[in-house]
């Protein structure tokens, strides 16, 4: 069986600890207005409300008063896809999940059964932030995509694209405006 990592050379103890680059998150946050980070820790969270490994997000409700962000551990994405679909319906909030752009894995087919939109991030790979050094890592071996669940629509399975550099530029401008 093909692993979700697809040949990652990142040390095992660091594989699930990468942070989404702040400019990319800021651009998406401007669109969605995230309330909860469902897969985080105190070193990599991007929302003031977040669930850690200790909170066991896969076995608890993602109680949220706004849209939910999730950059799940890439070591096992399937349970996060199932949980996101469930919590979108239960919390009546959109859920946006950042995952590798790999349509050959089982969790992608599972996501297509429930997701409203698949948004491929084009124009290059994301350089995730190493939580140990706070610096972008090189060597991401796959592109990325967003899985978007919306609570008040039947899953339309819309396929869209967004340019990585546009997201980063928008996010950077928003961050500069906050200073």
């Amino acid at each position: 069986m093909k692993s979700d990592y697809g040949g990652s050379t990142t040390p095992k103890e660091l594989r699930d600890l990468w942070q989404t680059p702040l400019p990319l998150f800021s651009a998406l946050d401007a669109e969605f207005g995230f309330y909860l980070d469902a897969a985080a820790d105190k070193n990599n969270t991007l929302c003031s409300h977040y669930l850690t490994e200790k909170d066991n997000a896969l076995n608890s409700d993602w109680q949220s008063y706004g849209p939910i962000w999730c950059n799940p551990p890439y070591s096992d994405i399937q349970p996060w896809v199932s949980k996101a679909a469930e919590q979108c319906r239960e919390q009546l909030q959109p859920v946006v999940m950042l995952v590798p752009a790999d349509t050959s894995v089982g969790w992608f087919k599972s996501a297509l059964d429930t997701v409203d939109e698949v948004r491929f991030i084009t124009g290059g790979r994301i350089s995730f932030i190493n939580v140990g050094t706070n610096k972008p890592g090189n060597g991401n071996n796959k592109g990325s995509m967003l899985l978007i669940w919306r609570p008040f629509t039947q899953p339309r399975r819309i396929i869209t694209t967004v340019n990585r550099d546009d997201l980063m530029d928008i996010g950077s401008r928003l961050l500069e405006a906050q200073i």
Side-chain angles (χ1 to χ4, degrees):
M1 175 177 215
K2 183 178 175 185
S3 127
D4 281 349
Y5 282 119
S8 172
T9 58
T10 302
K12 188 174 183 178
E13 65 275 7
L14 298 176
R15 285 185 185 163
D16 290 335
L17 299 177
W18 293 91
Q19 182 185 46
T20 305
L22 192 53
L24 187 136
F25 175 80
S26 294
L28 295 169
D29 190 39
E31 178 180 355
F32 293 98
F34 297 114
Y35 178 86
L36 176 71
D37 188 337
D41 68 28
K42 64 182 169 79
N43 297 317
N44 69 10
T45 187
L46 295 167
C47 297
S48 57
H49 299 92
Y50 59 96
L51 298 174
T52 67
E53 188 175 359
K54 184 178 177 182
D55 297 317
N56 199 354
L58 292 175
N59 290 313
S60 62
D61 285 338
W62 296 357
Q63 188 171 8
S64 187
Y65 300 101
I68 300 166
W69 169 253
C70 186
N71 180 356
Y74 285 10
S75 60
D76 191 11
I77 295 173
Q78 176 59 58
W80 293 91
V81 167
S82 300
K83 188 68 172 187
E86 169 197 295
Q87 289 301 297
C88 176
R89 290 186 311 272
E90 287 188 19
Q91 302 300 321
L92 299 176
Q93 298 295 338
V95 177
V96 179
M97 184 178 289
L98 178 62
V99 293
D102 189 347
T103 61
S104 69
V105 291
W107 59 257
F108 180 75
K109 183 178 180 325
S110 175
L112 280 179
D113 290 339
T114 58
V115 76
D116 187 54
E117 180 182 352
V118 175
R119 190 180 298 176
F120 288 96
I121 298 175
T122 63
R125 296 178 182 161
I126 296 172
S127 293
F128 289 93
I129 307 302
N130 180 310
V131 296
T133 65
N134 285 327
K135 296 189 185 301
N138 293 325
N140 184 0
N141 64 358
K142 287 194 169 114
S144 298
M145 66 181 159
L146 300 165
L147 301 175
I148 304 168
W149 289 266
R150 293 183 176 94
F152 302 110
T153 62
Q154 290 296 317
R156 297 174 288 178
R157 298 168 189 91
I158 300 167
I159 307 291
T160 62
T161 62
V162 63
N163 184 283
R164 179 204 60 185
D165 293 339
D166 291 343
L167 282 174
M168 297 296 282
D169 181 54
I170 290 165
S172 292
R173 286 187 284 140
L174 289 168
L175 290 168
E176 286 173 13
Q178 291 176 0
I179 295 175

